[in-house]
Each structure stands twice: as structure tokens, then as C-alpha cells.
PDB file of all heavy atoms in Angstrom:
ATOM      1  N   VAL A  16     134.042  51.783 196.784  1.00 91.00           N
ATOM      2  CA  VAL A  16     134.343  50.877 197.894  1.00 91.00           C
ATOM      3  C   VAL A  16     133.710  51.486 199.200  1.00 91.00           C
ATOM      4  O   VAL A  16     133.723  52.610 199.382  1.00 91.00           O
ATOM      5  CB  VAL A  16     135.856  50.807 197.961  1.00 91.00           C
ATOM      6  CG1 VAL A  16     136.284  50.038 199.267  1.00 91.00           C
ATOM      7  CG2 VAL A  16     136.483  50.045 196.911  1.00 91.00           C
ATOM      8  N   HIS A  17     133.104  50.507 200.021  1.00 89.00           N
ATOM      9  CA  HIS A  17     132.361  50.949 201.111  1.00 89.00           C
ATOM     10  C   HIS A  17     132.681  50.125 202.359  1.00 89.00           C
ATOM     11  O   HIS A  17     132.792  48.917 202.207  1.00 89.00           O
ATOM     12  CB  HIS A  17     130.843  50.912 200.802  1.00 89.00           C
ATOM     13  CG  HIS A  17     129.986  51.596 201.880  1.00 89.00           C
ATOM     14  ND1 HIS A  17     129.882  52.938 201.854  1.00 89.00           N
ATOM     15  CD2 HIS A  17     129.326  51.095 202.868  1.00 89.00           C
ATOM     16  CE1 HIS A  17     129.067  53.282 202.941  1.00 89.00           C
ATOM     17  NE2 HIS A  17     128.675  52.159 203.455  1.00 89.00           N
ATOM     18  N   THR A  18     132.737  50.821 203.526  1.00 87.00           N
ATOM     19  CA  THR A  18     132.854  50.053 204.686  1.00 87.00           C
ATOM     20  C   THR A  18     131.560  49.961 205.521  1.00 87.00           C
ATOM     21  O   THR A  18     130.924  50.920 205.735  1.00 87.00           O
ATOM     22  CB  THR A  18     133.919  50.722 205.707  1.00 87.00           C
ATOM     23  OG1 THR A  18     135.203  50.641 205.032  1.00 87.00           O
ATOM     24  CG2 THR A  18     133.942  50.089 207.044  1.00 87.00           C
ATOM     25  N   PHE A  19     131.040  48.692 205.614  1.00 84.00           N
ATOM     26  CA  PHE A  19     129.681  48.590 206.180  1.00 84.00           C
ATOM     27  C   PHE A  19     129.857  48.303 207.692  1.00 84.00           C
ATOM     28  O   PHE A  19     130.732  47.618 208.167  1.00 84.00           O
ATOM     29  CB  PHE A  19     129.060  47.374 205.612  1.00 84.00           C
ATOM     30  CG  PHE A  19     128.803  47.441 204.131  1.00 84.00           C
ATOM     31  CD1 PHE A  19     129.708  46.887 203.206  1.00 84.00           C
ATOM     32  CD2 PHE A  19     127.679  48.197 203.670  1.00 84.00           C
ATOM     33  CE1 PHE A  19     129.495  47.181 201.813  1.00 84.00           C
ATOM     34  CE2 PHE A  19     127.513  48.280 202.247  1.00 84.00           C
ATOM     35  CZ  PHE A  19     128.394  47.727 201.388  1.00 84.00           C
ATOM     36  N   ARG A  20     128.873  48.907 208.451  1.00 80.00           N
ATOM     37  CA  ARG A  20     128.976  48.801 209.955  1.00 80.00           C
ATOM     38  C   ARG A  20     128.070  47.583 210.178  1.00 80.00           C
ATOM     39  O   ARG A  20     126.842  47.570 209.710  1.00 80.00           O
ATOM     40  CB  ARG A  20     128.374  50.027 210.697  1.00 80.00           C
ATOM     41  CG  ARG A  20     129.368  51.127 210.525  1.00 80.00           C
ATOM     42  CD  ARG A  20     128.756  52.456 211.078  1.00 80.00           C
ATOM     43  NE  ARG A  20     129.621  53.559 210.920  1.00 80.00           N
ATOM     44  CZ  ARG A  20     130.744  53.865 211.452  1.00 80.00           C
ATOM     45  NH1 ARG A  20     131.142  53.002 212.442  1.00 80.00           N
ATOM     46  NH2 ARG A  20     131.440  54.870 211.112  1.00 80.00           N
ATOM     47  N   GLY A  21     128.436  46.554 210.975  1.00 78.00           N
ATOM     48  CA  GLY A  21     127.541  45.431 211.241  1.00 78.00           C
ATOM     49  C   GLY A  21     127.497  44.490 210.119  1.00 78.00           C
ATOM     50  O   GLY A  21     128.037  44.778 209.063  1.00 78.00           O
ATOM     51  N   PRO A  22     126.898  43.271 210.267  1.00 77.00           N
ATOM     52  CA  PRO A  22     126.926  42.320 209.194  1.00 77.00           C
ATOM     53  C   PRO A  22     126.155  42.769 208.026  1.00 77.00           C
ATOM     54  O   PRO A  22     125.136  43.441 208.087  1.00 77.00           O
ATOM     55  CB  PRO A  22     126.246  41.106 209.891  1.00 77.00           C
ATOM     56  CG  PRO A  22     125.567  41.624 211.024  1.00 77.00           C
ATOM     57  CD  PRO A  22     126.239  42.847 211.449  1.00 77.00           C
ATOM     58  N   HIS A  23     126.753  42.400 206.708  1.00 83.00           N
ATOM     59  CA  HIS A  23     126.176  42.786 205.508  1.00 83.00           C
ATOM     60  C   HIS A  23     126.120  41.651 204.516  1.00 83.00           C
ATOM     61  O   HIS A  23     127.066  41.007 204.481  1.00 83.00           O
ATOM     62  CB  HIS A  23     126.743  44.030 205.001  1.00 83.00           C
ATOM     63  CG  HIS A  23     125.842  45.263 204.929  1.00 83.00           C
ATOM     64  ND1 HIS A  23     125.630  46.040 206.027  1.00 83.00           N
ATOM     65  CD2 HIS A  23     124.958  45.662 203.923  1.00 83.00           C
ATOM     66  CE1 HIS A  23     124.758  46.969 205.618  1.00 83.00           C
ATOM     67  NE2 HIS A  23     124.404  46.731 204.348  1.00 83.00           N
ATOM     68  N   TRP A  24     124.979  41.449 203.874  1.00 83.00           N
ATOM     69  CA  TRP A  24     124.987  40.515 202.710  1.00 83.00           C
ATOM     70  C   TRP A  24     124.920  41.146 201.361  1.00 83.00           C
ATOM     71  O   TRP A  24     124.429  42.229 201.243  1.00 83.00           O
ATOM     72  CB  TRP A  24     123.778  39.602 202.978  1.00 83.00           C
ATOM     73  CG  TRP A  24     123.848  38.654 204.032  1.00 83.00           C
ATOM     74  CD1 TRP A  24     124.307  37.343 203.952  1.00 83.00           C
ATOM     75  CD2 TRP A  24     123.790  38.923 205.523  1.00 83.00           C
ATOM     76  NE1 TRP A  24     124.344  36.805 205.273  1.00 83.00           N
ATOM     77  CE2 TRP A  24     123.987  37.728 206.147  1.00 83.00           C
ATOM     78  CE3 TRP A  24     123.370  40.031 206.238  1.00 83.00           C
ATOM     79  CZ2 TRP A  24     124.007  37.558 207.519  1.00 83.00           C
ATOM     80  CZ3 TRP A  24     123.394  39.841 207.664  1.00 83.00           C
ATOM     81  CH2 TRP A  24     123.633  38.685 208.222  1.00 83.00           C
ATOM     82  N   CYS A  25     125.558  40.498 200.403  1.00 83.00           N
ATOM     83  CA  CYS A  25     125.603  41.013 199.073  1.00 83.00           C
ATOM     84  C   CYS A  25     124.217  40.883 198.426  1.00 83.00           C
ATOM     85  O   CYS A  25     123.553  39.895 198.478  1.00 83.00           O
ATOM     86  CB  CYS A  25     126.614  40.170 198.209  1.00 83.00           C
ATOM     87  SG  CYS A  25     126.530  40.528 196.455  1.00 83.00           S
ATOM     88  N   GLU A  26     123.798  41.997 197.813  1.00 84.00           N
ATOM     89  CA  GLU A  26     122.349  42.000 197.204  1.00 84.00           C
ATOM     90  C   GLU A  26     122.388  41.397 195.930  1.00 84.00           C
ATOM     91  O   GLU A  26     121.390  41.401 195.223  1.00 84.00           O
ATOM     92  CB  GLU A  26     121.879  43.499 197.141  1.00 84.00           C
ATOM     93  CG  GLU A  26     121.571  44.108 198.538  1.00 84.00           C
ATOM     94  CD  GLU A  26     121.257  45.539 198.479  1.00 84.00           C
ATOM     95  OE1 GLU A  26     120.435  45.961 197.535  1.00 84.00           O
ATOM     96  OE2 GLU A  26     121.837  46.296 199.227  1.00 84.00           O
ATOM     97  N   TYR A  27     123.570  40.883 195.337  1.00 80.00           N
ATOM     98  CA  TYR A  27     123.540  40.206 194.079  1.00 80.00           C
ATOM     99  C   TYR A  27     123.579  38.705 194.291  1.00 80.00           C
ATOM    100  O   TYR A  27     122.787  38.069 193.628  1.00 80.00           O
ATOM    101  CB  TYR A  27     124.785  40.681 193.247  1.00 80.00           C
ATOM    102  CG  TYR A  27     124.809  40.035 191.875  1.00 80.00           C
ATOM    103  CD1 TYR A  27     123.949  40.501 190.867  1.00 80.00           C
ATOM    104  CD2 TYR A  27     125.733  39.023 191.598  1.00 80.00           C
ATOM    105  CE1 TYR A  27     124.001  39.934 189.620  1.00 80.00           C
ATOM    106  CE2 TYR A  27     125.771  38.438 190.306  1.00 80.00           C
ATOM    107  CZ  TYR A  27     124.950  38.899 189.314  1.00 80.00           C
ATOM    108  OH  TYR A  27     124.955  38.325 188.107  1.00 80.00           O
ATOM    109  N   CYS A  28     124.494  38.252 195.105  1.00 78.00           N
ATOM    110  CA  CYS A  28     124.689  36.795 195.197  1.00 78.00           C
ATOM    111  C   CYS A  28     124.079  36.319 196.591  1.00 78.00           C
ATOM    112  O   CYS A  28     124.043  35.059 196.790  1.00 78.00           O
ATOM    113  CB  CYS A  28     126.098  36.361 195.121  1.00 78.00           C
ATOM    114  SG  CYS A  28     127.143  36.836 196.603  1.00 78.00           S
ATOM    115  N   ALA A  29     123.618  37.221 197.469  1.00 78.00           N
ATOM    116  CA  ALA A  29     123.061  36.941 198.675  1.00 78.00           C
ATOM    117  C   ALA A  29     123.957  36.281 199.691  1.00 78.00           C
ATOM    118  O   ALA A  29     123.611  35.705 200.745  1.00 78.00           O
ATOM    119  CB  ALA A  29     121.809  36.129 198.533  1.00 78.00           C
ATOM    120  N   ASN A  30     125.298  36.314 199.432  1.00 81.00           N
ATOM    121  CA  ASN A  30     126.162  35.723 200.400  1.00 81.00           C
ATOM    122  C   ASN A  30     126.793  36.854 201.250  1.00 81.00           C
ATOM    123  O   ASN A  30     126.736  38.048 201.034  1.00 81.00           O
ATOM    124  CB  ASN A  30     127.423  35.061 199.712  1.00 81.00           C
ATOM    125  CG  ASN A  30     126.953  33.756 199.086  1.00 81.00           C
ATOM    126  OD1 ASN A  30     126.332  32.953 199.732  1.00 81.00           O
ATOM    127  ND2 ASN A  30     127.260  33.548 197.785  1.00 81.00           N
ATOM    128  N   PHE A  31     127.365  36.439 202.420  1.00 86.00           N
ATOM    129  CA  PHE A  31     127.862  37.330 203.435  1.00 86.00           C
ATOM    130  C   PHE A  31     129.045  38.101 202.887  1.00 86.00           C
ATOM    131  O   PHE A  31     129.886  37.623 202.091  1.00 86.00           O
ATOM    132  CB  PHE A  31     128.306  36.434 204.699  1.00 86.00           C
ATOM    133  CG  PHE A  31     128.650  37.294 205.850  1.00 86.00           C
ATOM    134  CD1 PHE A  31     127.673  38.036 206.499  1.00 86.00           C
ATOM    135  CD2 PHE A  31     130.007  37.295 206.367  1.00 86.00           C
ATOM    136  CE1 PHE A  31     128.029  38.870 207.605  1.00 86.00           C
ATOM    137  CE2 PHE A  31     130.318  38.041 207.466  1.00 86.00           C
ATOM    138  CZ  PHE A  31     129.367  38.811 208.119  1.00 86.00           C
ATOM    139  N   MET A  32     129.193  39.356 203.346  1.00 84.00           N
ATOM    140  CA  MET A  32     130.308  40.107 203.060  1.00 84.00           C
ATOM    141  C   MET A  32     131.352  40.078 204.219  1.00 84.00           C
ATOM    142  O   MET A  32     131.062  40.560 205.358  1.00 84.00           O
ATOM    143  CB  MET A  32     129.978  41.650 202.772  1.00 84.00           C
ATOM    144  CG  MET A  32     129.132  41.880 201.578  1.00 84.00           C
ATOM    145  SD  MET A  32     128.886  43.616 201.216  1.00 84.00           S
ATOM    146  CE  MET A  32     127.992  43.668 199.857  1.00 84.00           C
ATOM    147  N   TRP A  33     132.462  39.496 204.013  1.00 85.00           N
ATOM    148  CA  TRP A  33     133.502  39.214 204.961  1.00 85.00           C
ATOM    149  C   TRP A  33     134.336  40.437 205.255  1.00 85.00           C
ATOM    150  O   TRP A  33     134.458  41.242 204.413  1.00 85.00           O
ATOM    151  CB  TRP A  33     134.277  38.032 204.771  1.00 85.00           C
ATOM    152  CG  TRP A  33     133.529  36.732 204.729  1.00 85.00           C
ATOM    153  CD1 TRP A  33     132.973  36.190 203.666  1.00 85.00           C
ATOM    154  CD2 TRP A  33     133.115  35.932 205.804  1.00 85.00           C
ATOM    155  NE1 TRP A  33     132.230  35.079 203.983  1.00 85.00           N
ATOM    156  CE2 TRP A  33     132.418  34.847 205.359  1.00 85.00           C
ATOM    157  CE3 TRP A  33     133.356  36.045 207.226  1.00 85.00           C
ATOM    158  CZ2 TRP A  33     131.797  33.905 206.233  1.00 85.00           C
ATOM    159  CZ3 TRP A  33     132.775  35.016 208.088  1.00 85.00           C
ATOM    160  CH2 TRP A  33     132.138  34.010 207.524  1.00 85.00           C
ATOM    161  N   GLY A  34     134.982  40.540 206.382  1.00 84.00           N
ATOM    162  CA  GLY A  34     135.993  41.606 206.720  1.00 84.00           C
ATOM    163  C   GLY A  34     135.404  42.659 207.575  1.00 84.00           C
ATOM    164  O   GLY A  34     134.194  42.791 207.749  1.00 84.00           O
ATOM    165  N   LEU A  35     136.341  43.510 208.100  1.00 81.00           N
ATOM    166  CA  LEU A  35     135.902  44.586 208.983  1.00 81.00           C
ATOM    167  C   LEU A  35     135.758  45.939 208.251  1.00 81.00           C
ATOM    168  O   LEU A  35     134.873  46.726 208.571  1.00 81.00           O
ATOM    169  CB  LEU A  35     137.006  44.821 210.100  1.00 81.00           C
ATOM    170  CG  LEU A  35     136.884  43.783 211.236  1.00 81.00           C
ATOM    171  CD1 LEU A  35     138.042  44.000 212.169  1.00 81.00           C
ATOM    172  CD2 LEU A  35     135.550  43.893 211.982  1.00 81.00           C
ATOM    173  N   ILE A  36     136.631  46.115 207.277  1.00 83.00           N
ATOM    174  CA  ILE A  36     136.570  47.297 206.499  1.00 83.00           C
ATOM    175  C   ILE A  36     136.526  47.079 205.007  1.00 83.00           C
ATOM    176  O   ILE A  36     137.073  46.002 204.627  1.00 83.00           O
ATOM    177  CB  ILE A  36     137.820  48.346 206.759  1.00 83.00           C
ATOM    178  CG1 ILE A  36     139.090  47.575 206.597  1.00 83.00           C
ATOM    179  CG2 ILE A  36     137.757  48.881 208.286  1.00 83.00           C
ATOM    180  CD1 ILE A  36     140.274  48.493 206.468  1.00 83.00           C
ATOM    181  N   ALA A  37     136.025  47.946 204.251  1.00 85.00           N
ATOM    182  CA  ALA A  37     135.979  47.811 202.798  1.00 85.00           C
ATOM    183  C   ALA A  37     135.491  46.435 202.335  1.00 85.00           C
ATOM    184  O   ALA A  37     136.116  45.844 201.479  1.00 85.00           O
ATOM    185  CB  ALA A  37     137.390  48.096 202.142  1.00 85.00           C
ATOM    186  N   GLN A  38     134.352  46.063 202.921  1.00 88.00           N
ATOM    187  CA  GLN A  38     133.885  44.629 202.679  1.00 88.00           C
ATOM    188  C   GLN A  38     133.290  44.452 201.229  1.00 88.00           C
ATOM    189  O   GLN A  38     133.264  43.349 200.678  1.00 88.00           O
ATOM    190  CB  GLN A  38     132.840  44.169 203.644  1.00 88.00           C
ATOM    191  CG  GLN A  38     133.187  44.259 205.137  1.00 88.00           C
ATOM    192  CD  GLN A  38     132.751  45.581 205.791  1.00 88.00           C
ATOM    193  OE1 GLN A  38     132.778  46.544 205.077  1.00 88.00           O
ATOM    194  NE2 GLN A  38     132.349  45.566 207.012  1.00 88.00           N
ATOM    195  N   GLY A  39     132.885  45.615 200.610  1.00 91.00           N
ATOM    196  CA  GLY A  39     132.204  45.553 199.336  1.00 91.00           C
ATOM    197  C   GLY A  39     132.108  46.860 198.762  1.00 91.00           C
ATOM    198  O   GLY A  39     132.749  47.798 199.050  1.00 91.00           O
ATOM    199  N   VAL A  40     131.260  46.984 197.852  1.00 92.00           N
ATOM    200  CA  VAL A  40     131.017  48.305 197.129  1.00 92.00           C
ATOM    201  C   VAL A  40     129.534  48.762 197.235  1.00 92.00           C
ATOM    202  O   VAL A  40     128.642  47.860 197.325  1.00 92.00           O
ATOM    203  CB  VAL A  40     131.445  48.290 195.575  1.00 92.00           C
ATOM    204  CG1 VAL A  40     133.010  48.030 195.534  1.00 92.00           C
ATOM    205  CG2 VAL A  40     130.786  47.172 194.844  1.00 92.00           C
ATOM    206  N   ARG A  41     129.297  49.958 197.163  1.00 91.00           N
ATOM    207  CA  ARG A  41     127.978  50.591 197.227  1.00 91.00           C
ATOM    208  C   ARG A  41     127.795  51.455 195.999  1.00 91.00           C
ATOM    209  O   ARG A  41     128.662  52.285 195.761  1.00 91.00           O
ATOM    210  CB  ARG A  41     127.724  51.271 198.521  1.00 91.00           C
ATOM    211  CG  ARG A  41     126.436  52.111 198.547  1.00 91.00           C
ATOM    212  CD  ARG A  41     126.175  52.771 199.906  1.00 91.00           C
ATOM    213  NE  ARG A  41     125.584  51.774 200.821  1.00 91.00           N
ATOM    214  CZ  ARG A  41     125.345  52.023 202.074  1.00 91.00           C
ATOM    215  NH1 ARG A  41     125.533  53.220 202.634  1.00 91.00           N
ATOM    216  NH2 ARG A  41     124.850  51.036 202.878  1.00 91.00           N
ATOM    217  N   CYS A  42     126.640  51.381 195.452  1.00 90.00           N
ATOM    218  CA  CYS A  42     126.359  52.348 194.292  1.00 90.00           C
ATOM    219  C   CYS A  42     126.079  53.750 194.925  1.00 90.00           C
ATOM    220  O   CYS A  42     124.962  53.783 195.652  1.00 90.00           O
ATOM    221  CB  CYS A  42     125.321  51.829 193.367  1.00 90.00           C
ATOM    222  SG  CYS A  42     124.698  53.086 192.150  1.00 90.00           S
ATOM    223  N   SER A  43     126.724  54.729 194.604  1.00 88.00           N
ATOM    224  CA  SER A  43     126.373  56.006 195.159  1.00 88.00           C
ATOM    225  C   SER A  43     125.093  56.651 194.641  1.00 88.00           C
ATOM    226  O   SER A  43     124.678  57.710 195.015  1.00 88.00           O
ATOM    227  CB  SER A  43     127.509  56.967 195.194  1.00 88.00           C
ATOM    228  OG  SER A  43     128.289  56.844 194.152  1.00 88.00           O
ATOM    229  N   ASP A  44     124.575  56.088 193.536  1.00 86.00           N
ATOM    230  CA  ASP A  44     123.387  56.647 192.893  1.00 86.00           C
ATOM    231  C   ASP A  44     122.131  55.991 193.333  1.00 86.00           C
ATOM    232  O   ASP A  44     121.115  56.622 193.531  1.00 86.00           O
ATOM    233  CB  ASP A  44     123.546  56.575 191.388  1.00 86.00           C
ATOM    234  CG  ASP A  44     124.593  57.446 190.812  1.00 86.00           C
ATOM    235  OD1 ASP A  44     124.945  58.350 191.474  1.00 86.00           O
ATOM    236  OD2 ASP A  44     124.929  57.204 189.588  1.00 86.00           O
ATOM    237  N   CYS A  45     122.169  54.601 193.522  1.00 84.00           N
ATOM    238  CA  CYS A  45     120.968  53.883 193.974  1.00 84.00           C
ATOM    239  C   CYS A  45     121.066  53.147 195.220  1.00 84.00           C
ATOM    240  O   CYS A  45     120.060  52.755 195.916  1.00 84.00           O
ATOM    241  CB  CYS A  45     120.481  53.041 192.938  1.00 84.00           C
ATOM    242  SG  CYS A  45     121.491  51.534 192.786  1.00 84.00           S
ATOM    243  N   GLY A  46     122.358  53.000 195.849  1.00 84.00           N
ATOM    244  CA  GLY A  46     122.450  52.499 197.184  1.00 84.00           C
ATOM    245  C   GLY A  46     122.619  50.972 197.170  1.00 84.00           C
ATOM    246  O   GLY A  46     122.653  50.252 198.175  1.00 84.00           O
ATOM    247  N   LEU A  47     122.797  50.320 195.921  1.00 87.00           N
ATOM    248  CA  LEU A  47     122.944  48.823 195.857  1.00 87.00           C
ATOM    249  C   LEU A  47     124.177  48.380 196.507  1.00 87.00           C
ATOM    250  O   LEU A  47     125.292  48.970 196.229  1.00 87.00           O
ATOM    251  CB  LEU A  47     122.908  48.387 194.381  1.00 87.00           C
ATOM    252  CG  LEU A  47     122.896  46.917 194.214  1.00 87.00           C
ATOM    253  CD1 LEU A  47     121.569  46.307 194.525  1.00 87.00           C
ATOM    254  CD2 LEU A  47     123.331  46.661 192.680  1.00 87.00           C
ATOM    255  N   ASN A  48     124.193  47.391 197.385  1.00 89.00           N
ATOM    256  CA  ASN A  48     125.387  46.915 198.099  1.00 89.00           C
ATOM    257  C   ASN A  48     125.725  45.504 197.643  1.00 89.00           C
ATOM    258  O   ASN A  48     124.969  44.647 197.767  1.00 89.00           O
ATOM    259  CB  ASN A  48     125.217  46.845 199.669  1.00 89.00           C
ATOM    260  CG  ASN A  48     124.702  48.219 200.125  1.00 89.00           C
ATOM    261  OD1 ASN A  48     125.332  49.243 199.793  1.00 89.00           O
ATOM    262  ND2 ASN A  48     123.750  48.161 201.004  1.00 89.00           N
ATOM    263  N   VAL A  49     126.913  45.349 197.035  1.00 91.00           N
ATOM    264  CA  VAL A  49     127.436  44.092 196.507  1.00 91.00           C
ATOM    265  C   VAL A  49     128.926  43.752 196.776  1.00 91.00           C
ATOM    266  O   VAL A  49     129.735  44.694 197.015  1.00 91.00           O
ATOM    267  CB  VAL A  49     127.240  43.968 194.945  1.00 91.00           C
ATOM    268  CG1 VAL A  49     125.669  43.910 194.631  1.00 91.00           C
ATOM    269  CG2 VAL A  49     127.865  45.007 194.207  1.00 91.00           C
ATOM    270  N   HIS A  50     129.264  42.499 196.566  1.00 91.00           N
ATOM    271  CA  HIS A  50     130.669  42.180 196.682  1.00 91.00           C
ATOM    272  C   HIS A  50     131.403  43.003 195.555  1.00 91.00           C
ATOM    273  O   HIS A  50     130.862  43.129 194.436  1.00 91.00           O
ATOM    274  CB  HIS A  50     130.898  40.712 196.498  1.00 91.00           C
ATOM    275  CG  HIS A  50     130.665  39.842 197.718  1.00 91.00           C
ATOM    276  ND1 HIS A  50     129.539  38.948 197.607  1.00 91.00           N
ATOM    277  CD2 HIS A  50     131.044  39.749 198.901  1.00 91.00           C
ATOM    278  CE1 HIS A  50     129.415  38.391 198.765  1.00 91.00           C
ATOM    279  NE2 HIS A  50     130.464  38.780 199.514  1.00 91.00           N
ATOM    280  N   LYS A  51     132.704  43.230 195.710  1.00 90.00           N
ATOM    281  CA  LYS A  51     133.588  43.824 194.579  1.00 90.00           C
ATOM    282  C   LYS A  51     133.511  42.908 193.371  1.00 90.00           C
ATOM    283  O   LYS A  51     133.315  43.342 192.178  1.00 90.00           O
ATOM    284  CB  LYS A  51     134.971  44.033 195.103  1.00 90.00           C
ATOM    285  CG  LYS A  51     135.667  45.082 194.300  1.00 90.00           C
ATOM    286  CD  LYS A  51     136.979  45.438 195.026  1.00 90.00           C
ATOM    287  CE  LYS A  51     137.662  46.653 194.309  1.00 90.00           C
ATOM    288  NZ  LYS A  51     138.835  47.093 195.098  1.00 90.00           N
ATOM    289  N   GLN A  52     133.641  41.551 193.566  1.00 91.00           N
ATOM    290  CA  GLN A  52     133.611  40.640 192.501  1.00 91.00           C
ATOM    291  C   GLN A  52     132.232  40.620 191.690  1.00 91.00           C
ATOM    292  O   GLN A  52     132.134  40.613 190.554  1.00 91.00           O
ATOM    293  CB  GLN A  52     133.903  39.228 192.944  1.00 91.00           C
ATOM    294  CG  GLN A  52     135.317  38.832 192.921  1.00 91.00           C
ATOM    295  CD  GLN A  52     136.250  39.749 193.547  1.00 91.00           C
ATOM    296  OE1 GLN A  52     136.086  40.127 194.668  1.00 91.00           O
ATOM    297  NE2 GLN A  52     137.286  40.291 193.005  1.00 91.00           N
ATOM    298  N   CYS A  53     131.207  40.626 192.570  1.00 90.00           N
ATOM    299  CA  CYS A  53     129.812  40.654 192.005  1.00 90.00           C
ATOM    300  C   CYS A  53     129.551  41.884 191.135  1.00 90.00           C
ATOM    301  O   CYS A  53     128.707  41.811 190.298  1.00 90.00           O
ATOM    302  CB  CYS A  53     128.793  40.473 193.134  1.00 90.00           C
ATOM    303  SG  CYS A  53     128.859  38.903 193.953  1.00 90.00           S
ATOM    304  N   SER A  54     130.179  43.059 191.484  1.00 91.00           N
ATOM    305  CA  SER A  54     129.839  44.280 190.866  1.00 91.00           C
ATOM    306  C   SER A  54     130.088  44.164 189.324  1.00 91.00           C
ATOM    307  O   SER A  54     129.522  44.919 188.534  1.00 91.00           O
ATOM    308  CB  SER A  54     130.628  45.450 191.504  1.00 91.00           C
ATOM    309  OG  SER A  54     132.010  45.335 191.107  1.00 91.00           O
TER     310      SER A  54
END
């Protein structure tokens, strides 16, 4: 689970990640950022 600073889009579905904190997840090995559902 990751908190993104500034607006972020999901790299899987290309939709916006809503919310101020913990908007999505990031892969700590490759850096991919996606919605929790998309993961």
C-alpha cells in the first residue's frame, strides 16, 4: 500500500487514483503503481 503525492493514474487501467492517502499499491521490486483492485 502506497501514499502518492500529487495526482496519480493507475498503470493497469489508466484511471485516476482517488483519495489523499493510501490511494493504491506500488510494487517495491519494479515500481509499478496500480489500484488495489487492479493489483
Side-chain angles (χ1 to χ4, degrees):
V16 175
H17 191 78
T18 295
F19 298 96
R20 294 175 187 283
H23 243 86
W24 284 263
C25 169
E26 293 173 46
Y27 182 74
C28 72
N30 287 314
F31 187 65
M32 290 187 181
W33 296 95
L35 282 174
I36 55 165
Q38 304 96 325
V40 293
R41 166 176 284 176
C42 172
S43 38
D44 294 341
C45 73
L47 184 75
N48 303 316
V49 294
H50 287 115
K51 202 170 190 171
Q52 266 53 53
C53 290
S54 70

